[in-house]
Amino acid sequence: MALDPPTMLTITIALAAAAALYLAVEWASVRSPSLLQWSAGFAIITVGSTLALLRGSGLLVVGIWFANGLLVTAHWLFLLGVARFTEARLSKAWYLIIAIWLGMLFLPDGPWWSKAMMATQSSMIGLVTLRASFLLRPHGKSLSVGAVQLRYVLLLHGLFYFAKALSVVIPGTLIDLAAFRGEIIQISLVEGAMAIMLIALSMTGTERYRREQHIARLAARDPLTALYNRRALEQRAPRLLQDVSSARPGALLLIDIDNFKLVNDLHGHTAGDRLLIALSEMIRAVLPEHALAARLGGDEFVILVSNASRDAIVELGSALRDRFHSAAAEAFATPEAVTLSIGANLFDQPPASLTALIELGDAALYESKRGGRDSIRLVDWTCAGGEPVRAQ
């Protein structure tokens, strides 16, 4: 089968339709706006390429001007999808692309009409495609393989269209849009079919990676408080603990709510959930840099700190206790005060395991509760450590 223009357009129609359908199916499962915009772009390419076949029947306005306008619109939708994916905000000036193309309808007919049409259309597509590629720059963050591939496919696609626009000024270049004549047109049809395949595959891989990352983030978080869960803490703690030394002691704070059951019994479990969420927000507010915080379960929370000191840990725990006591007393009336008990350990040697460290924190927490609750029990295991501290 010869790769003549009608054949290449037919292949393009089939590829674009398949890409539009596949991305639409992906969108139906994850409801990502970028997928919907990309799917719409490929659907428009399908329609535009079908209309392009009509120029062979003499329908030049529909087969050239309108078909090429749809191609510009499709790439504009690709740009919108990339902007949504990268959470970037586009200037309103980009919406002028469509208005400029509408103005092309009023160009007077003449021997240079095909070249003017191709130069304008190619420049517009090159501009929006390169802009989409630049939006995918890492900005210091790693990109998925799909996103990197999409970035460079769009970059090459955009550069091709700019080269296509510049080719019209080369003396002796034959460009006849009505009859699909001219080498640059033949090359463009082949490049378009290849670009559709690569762009569609890259877009799908990009969204799938982001979906997998989102699922991974959800799996690592406690669903109520959005703090790390115990499994995520166990995965991240070794990196922090391996840097512990006499010059950079570490600390673990085990936090438990005193009389939490009273809130649930008197005000309902929804009120108890609100109190847990409030505590998690307070923990975030006082969390030192590079520290980890997690909800172990129920009303028990843990903070893991690097480069700590006795004074800093006591100050952190006291600030947390004061904030929580004030918030709980204001929100929920209970026969006994709803407060925090904290068991803390300061250490300058990496522990045998996180579990062993939590057990030490649990022992300190028990001492805090046995001593009257609403207090901090800090045990200093460093070489310079003294007696355990109980801070009111």
Side-chain angles (χ1 to χ4, degrees):
M1 181 173 60
L3 295 179
D4 54 19
T7 299
M8 289 306 305
L9 278 175
T10 302
I11 293 173
T12 299
I13 291 167
L15 290 173
L21 180 61
Y22 185 72
L23 290 170
V25 171
E26 286 285 305
W27 171 81
S29 63
V30 299
R31 298 292 174 173
S32 172
S34 55
L35 279 175
L36 185 61
Q37 289 165 333
W38 290 338
S39 176
F42 282 114
I44 288 175
I45 290 177
T46 304
V47 176
S49 298
T50 302
L51 294 179
L53 289 171
L54 297 178
R55 69 183 71 178
S57 302
L59 300 174
L60 300 185
V61 172
V62 173
I64 298 178
W65 181 84
F66 195 69
N68 288 356
L70 289 180
L71 190 61
V72 174
T73 303
H75 285 79
W76 184 71
L77 283 171
F78 290 164
L79 172 60
L80 290 185
V82 170
R84 183 63 67 92
F85 174 79
T86 57
E87 298 180 352
R89 181 170 295 181
L90 289 175
S91 167
K92 292 182 180 179
W94 289 100
Y95 292 84
L96 294 175
I97 292 288
I98 305 302
I100 294 172
W101 182 255
L102 290 174
M104 292 293 294
L105 182 61
F106 302 100
L107 281 178
D109 197 4
W112 49 270
W113 185 87
S114 286
K115 287 191 174 185
M117 178 68 71
M118 177 175 284
T120 304
Q121 174 217 20
S122 299
S123 297
M124 289 180 175
I125 292 176
L127 189 63
V128 297
T129 305
L130 287 181
R131 178 57 177 157
S133 176
F134 292 154
L135 287 179
L136 285 166
R137 286 180 299 176
H139 295 295
K141 299 179 180 178
S142 60
L143 291 175
S144 69
V145 174
V148 171
Q149 180 177 310
L150 178 60
R151 177 190 173 192
Y152 286 108
V153 169
L154 291 174
L155 177 63
L156 293 174
H157 190 54
L159 291 175
F160 172 81
Y161 267 92
F162 270 122
K164 183 178 171 182
L166 292 173
S167 69
V168 302
V169 301
I170 299 175
T173 302
L174 174 62
I175 297 174
D176 185 348
L177 293 178
F180 286 116
R181 293 174 60 200
E183 287 187 3
I184 188 63
I185 295 178
Q186 305 291 327
I187 295 172
S188 182
L189 289 171
V190 175
E191 189 274 343
M194 293 176 61
I196 285 173
M197 288 189 295
L198 293 174
I199 291 173
L201 290 172
S202 302
M203 287 175 172
T204 305
T206 298
E207 272 293 345
R208 183 171 295 144
Y209 175 82
R210 186 167 71 170
R211 183 173 60 193
E212 290 171 353
Q213 290 293 99
H214 179 65
I215 292 172
R217 283 195 296 270
L218 290 178
R221 297 287 178 176
D222 171 64
L224 178 65
T225 65
L227 292 176
Y228 286 129
N229 54 31
R230 180 160 187 157
R231 179 172 176 271
L233 180 67
E234 289 174 345
Q235 291 176 339
R236 289 162 174 78
R239 188 180 304 170
L240 185 149
L241 294 175
Q242 70 183 5
D243 294 331
V244 170
S245 66
S246 57
R248 295 174 58 86
L252 179 137
L253 292 82
L254 200 61
I255 303 162
D256 186 81
I257 301 178
D258 304 319
N259 300 314
F260 180 66
K261 188 174 182 296
L262 290 177
V263 177
N264 283 331
D265 292 344
L266 296 175
H267 302 279
H269 288 277
T270 300
D273 288 347
R274 292 204 309 270
L275 191 60
L276 293 172
I277 293 170
L279 176 55
S280 70
E281 292 173 350
M282 294 175 197
I283 289 173
R284 287 193 192 90
V286 300
L287 197 65
E289 189 176 2
H290 305 306
L292 296 173
R295 181 189 178 197
L296 296 183
D299 60 337
E300 195 168 59
F301 296 77
V302 64
I303 297 176
L304 195 58
V305 183
S306 63
N307 197 20
S309 68
R310 289 168 63 103
D311 291 343
I313 296 306
V314 171
E315 183 180 349
L316 187 154
S318 298
L320 197 56
R321 283 175 46 244
D322 291 343
R323 290 190 187 190
F324 181 81
H325 178 62
S326 297
E330 183 178 343
F332 307 109
T334 53
E336 298 180 60
V338 178
T339 55
L340 292 183
S341 288
I342 301 175
N345 284 281
L346 191 67
F347 51 93
D348 57 6
Q349 296 293 326
S353 66
L354 178 64
T355 300
L357 190 58
I358 290 176
E359 288 176 355
L360 291 175
D362 198 46
L365 177 63
Y366 174 76
E367 291 296 325
S368 175
K369 284 186 172 291
R370 193 176 68 170
R373 301 180 179 181
D374 189 22
S375 63
I376 305 167
R377 175 78 170 186
L378 189 150
V379 180
D380 190 341
W381 296 95
T382 64
C383 295
E387 293 298 319
V389 175
R390 183 174 184 272
Q392 297 293 342

